[in-house]
Amino acid sequence: MSRNPARGVRKQAHPVREPTGTGVAELVKELWQAAVTLRGSIEPAEYKRFVLPLIFLRFLSLRHEHRRPGAFAVPRKARWSELLAHADEEDIKVRLDDALEALEEAYPERLRGLLPRLYAASNMDRHNVAQLLRLFSREVFIRGLGGEDLLGRVYEYFIGEFASSEGKRGGEYFTPASIVRLLVAMLEPMRGVVYDPCCGSGGMFVQSDLFAQHSRQLAFFGQESKEFTYRLCRMNLFIHGLDGDIRLGNTYFEDKHPTLKADYILSNPPFNDGSKGREGWGADKLSEEDPRLEIAGKRMPLASRNANPMWMMHFLHHLKEGGSAGFVMAAGELSNNHAGRLEVRSTLIESDFVDCVVQLSSQLFANTQIPCTLWFLSKARAGGRGGRKRQGELLFIDGRALGAMIPGSRKQRQLSDEDVERIASVYREFRSTGRPEEVPGFARVATLQEVRDHAYALTPGRYVGSADVEEAEDFEERLPRLTAQLEKELARAESLDERLRALVKDLLRGA
């Protein structure tokens, strides 16, 4: 099972959520800005490698020094007080490397390879290292504002900031906390296997464990393609007292859990992966015999310039009979008519795997305004395991009107606890009790025939009666279309210009 706190002592439950007041949020941002100013000559993309291990050390040490339930024993040379006492000495960077090494040696099975020696060999100014140590030594971590929980909040915020800055380049976006909470609240993982094949920093696992109240009834399996993020995920699970089988590798081409069947799949795969590059996402590298490319006995085509359908087929393949998957998807996938993508979507619908679709507003992600949707696939639509029979029915929820700006932010929104519960309660009723009452503009159950009549478009606004039915087109697809249109118009203008010049010449000759 998933939890394995040192000494077998349960840790205290503390919900992971966005701060409700502005005080903690502002403090966390202030710490982030202070840490950024100490970056010095370190490349921005590399800075996380130096900051996150420090917070990791601080978090473990604080819990150990205050004898918190579930605290891990920390070797003397890795304790924060020891490091802080020598912060201004010449060899502080060597001491930090020794501290990381001592932790790895203390927990070889869980930390081996996660904490490499990196400070002494870096060009990071030792005075900046000392200031970082003092920054994370502030008394606010010990007293008031949640004490050590504040440090956990800082750790998560920093993970998010680093992950977001990384993700901006690859169509990958750090999953906002409110979306993770919504996915978990809708799937309600209580017992069994939880799987995330692009697990990032492990947020889906941590939130699932909180939902299950640290019951040890969940087992976590994940895969991550980026080496640093893979280590980050394992450190994150360690800090939260969780075990997980997390493996490094590209999910498309190296399925590291090929025989795994999960009760719950929660994931936020890269949006529209492959749509920008000439080579696509690498569909040609997959074997024609790959078992994931089959839905209900039917072989599916692959869209070479967009991996969204590949992710959906991967989720379905790894879903246990009776299991459910909830994942984030670019809004354009709801109604895209590209032959390969439409065939996968229509086959999922006709095979009765699509359970629910939720459309959310834009601005929920920190670094992109791209709108997103949540898809829920289920292999439990025939009933059983506490669920009702709902074959031939699809639940649509239009949540675009929900959410509010995060206090202090002018560009990012978040869903409130009430918003999360409003959406999740409708899905729970649909799944367990009966068809929920129609709420015009918000939620409605549609029949399979209605979806066929709409040419398999899954845009919720079509079914719930929204005044504004927006057929989202992803930017990655819109840009090439607009570019082609612009080139066509420019060519036409050039042709007209040539004809006009020729006419003028003819007129001049005639004169």
Side-chain angles (χ1 to χ4, degrees):
M1 286 296 106
S2 60
R3 290 191 71 254
N4 183 23
R7 303 174 186 172
V9 181
R10 287 179 60 82
K11 67 177 184 176
Q12 288 183 322
H14 61 284
V16 177
R17 57 190 62 211
E18 295 292 336
T20 53
T22 58
V24 176
E26 289 173 354
L27 174 62
V28 171
K29 288 180 181 177
E30 178 188 324
L31 289 168
W32 167 255
Q33 290 302 325
V36 168
T37 60
L38 296 173
R39 181 167 58 82
S41 56
I42 304 296
E43 290 294 323
E46 292 295 310
Y47 193 42
K48 61 181 179 295
R49 301 179 187 279
F50 300 96
V51 173
L52 289 175
L54 280 181
I55 304 178
F56 183 70
L57 281 172
R58 178 62 167 139
F59 191 96
L60 293 181
S61 195
L62 190 60
R63 291 175 66 84
H64 169 75
E65 290 168 7
H66 289 264
R67 301 289 189 268
R68 297 300 184 189
F72 292 89
V74 178
R76 184 179 183 82
K77 65 172 61 174
R79 293 176 191 169
W80 195 259
S81 56
E82 188 77 9
L83 293 167
L84 189 61
H86 299 279
D88 293 318
E89 295 185 9
E90 292 282 343
D91 65 346
I92 183 58
K93 295 201 295 186
V94 174
R95 288 177 179 272
L96 276 171
D97 284 339
D98 290 344
L100 296 175
E101 189 173 271
L103 266 179
E104 275 205 4
E105 291 174 352
Y107 300 97
E109 292 186 3
R110 306 182 71 185
L111 294 179
R112 182 180 291 117
L114 298 188
L115 304 170
R117 299 179 68 89
L118 50 83
Y119 292 98
S122 76
N123 60 350
M124 194 171 184
D125 188 284
R126 72 174 179 83
H127 298 292
N128 286 356
V129 172
Q131 290 187 63
L132 279 175
L133 283 167
R134 292 196 179 88
L135 180 67
F136 297 120
S137 298
R138 290 170 58 166
E139 285 192 10
V140 70
F141 290 118
I142 303 172
R143 60 173 175 78
L145 290 175
E148 68 188 288
D149 286 344
L150 173 62
L151 189 58
R153 182 70 188 96
V154 169
Y155 185 71
E156 290 175 353
Y157 184 86
F158 276 47
I159 285 177
E161 288 295 307
F162 284 128
S164 293
S165 61
E166 286 291 294
K168 281 191 292 186
R169 293 194 297 271
E172 299 177 11
Y173 303 100
F174 181 75
T175 316
S178 65
I179 292 183
V180 176
R181 292 205 314 277
L182 177 57
L183 281 169
V184 170
M186 293 181 75
L187 280 191
E188 300 183 293
M190 292 300 292
R191 180 193 298 267
V193 172
V194 178
Y195 174 50
D196 184 350
C198 47
C199 58
S201 60
M204 301 291 184
F205 302 138
V206 173
Q207 187 64 33
S208 294
D209 179 62
L210 288 169
F211 184 87
Q213 300 180 325
H214 317 297
S215 64
R216 304 189 187 195
Q217 297 299 310
L218 293 174
F220 301 111
F221 293 81
Q223 184 166 338
E224 171 57 42
S225 62
K226 293 183 175 64
E227 193 269 342
F228 178 77
T229 311
Y230 156 77
R231 290 197 284 120
L232 200 62
C233 179
R234 289 183 56 193
M235 283 194 283
N236 202 16
L237 295 187
F238 185 83
I239 273 183
H240 287 88
L242 301 175
D243 277 337
D245 186 348
I246 313 300
R247 302 187 185 183
L248 177 64
N250 186 304
T251 301
Y252 300 142
F253 316 121
E254 303 172 275
D255 186 354
K256 295 291 187 179
H257 298 286
T259 60
L260 178 71
K261 296 295 182 183
D263 298 275
Y264 310 96
I265 295 177
L266 298 108
S267 199
N268 176 22
F271 284 5
N272 305 315
D273 195 13
S275 61
K276 292 181 178 177
R278 290 185 177 180
E279 304 300 322
W281 58 273
D284 56 329
K285 298 177 184 175
L286 261 65
S287 165
E288 293 184 358
E289 305 301 319
D290 193 313
R292 298 173 296 177
L293 308 184
E294 192 172 281
I295 300 177
K298 185 179 178 183
R299 206 71 185 166
M300 289 290 106
L302 277 177
S304 60
R305 299 293 302 276
N306 194 303
N308 290 345
M310 179 63 213
W311 283 110
M312 289 193 273
M313 289 189 284
H314 182 91
F315 298 145
L316 188 71
H317 174 74
H318 284 283
L319 202 57
K320 183 186 293 184
E321 288 300 322
S324 297
F327 51 90
V328 187
M329 189 58 61
E333 205 57 39
L334 295 175
S335 56
N336 184 280
N337 286 322
H338 181 278
R341 295 163 68 182
L342 174 59
E343 185 165 350
V344 170
R345 186 172 74 245
S346 61
T347 304
L348 286 171
I349 295 168
E350 287 290 350
S351 303
D352 208 38
F353 290 121
V354 180
D355 208 29
C356 174
V357 176
V358 182
Q359 188 162 11
L360 298 174
S361 71
S362 60
Q363 295 183 284
L364 288 172
F365 286 81
N367 294 301
T368 177
Q369 295 193 359
I370 188 171
C372 72
T373 58
L374 305 184
W375 288 55
F376 293 84
L377 304 181
S378 177
K379 290 187 177 179
R381 288 168 55 79
R385 301 184 70 176
R388 73 177 184 92
K389 183 178 179 180
R390 52 191 186 280
Q391 293 160 313
E393 301 175 355
L394 293 87
L395 174 62
F396 291 95
I397 298 176
D398 187 344
R400 288 178 296 168
L402 303 182
M405 300 303 290
I406 294 175
S409 173
R410 290 183 294 181
K411 63 178 183 179
Q412 188 181 5
R413 300 161 64 89
Q414 66 178 350
L415 299 171
S416 68
D417 289 348
E418 291 74 22
D419 294 332
V420 169
E421 178 55 23
R422 185 179 179 196
I423 295 173
S425 62
V426 175
Y427 185 51
R428 282 198 299 269
E429 182 180 355
F430 171 71
R431 204 177 54 200
S432 307
T433 311
R435 294 179 60 148
E437 184 179 350
E438 177 182 345
V439 180
F442 176 64
R444 178 172 172 269
V445 175
T447 65
L448 173 58
Q449 187 56 50
E450 286 180 83
V451 178
R452 287 175 181 151
D453 293 342
H454 284 282
Y456 299 104
L458 293 177
T459 312
R462 287 173 176 256
Y463 303 96
V464 305
S466 299
D468 173 25
V469 179
E470 178 184 351
E471 297 293 358
E473 182 181 17
D474 295 319
F475 177 76
E476 292 85 349
E477 295 170 338
R478 187 187 308 163
L479 182 60
R481 180 176 61 77
L482 293 177
T483 301
Q485 184 178 343
L486 176 62
E487 289 175 350
K488 185 178 178 181
E489 294 299 327
L490 288 174
R492 183 167 173 267
E494 187 177 352
S495 174
L496 288 174
D497 186 56
E498 289 176 359
R499 288 175 59 188
L500 183 60
R501 289 177 186 278
L503 285 172
V504 171
K505 282 183 180 180
D506 290 343
L507 287 173
L508 290 174
R509 287 194 197 100

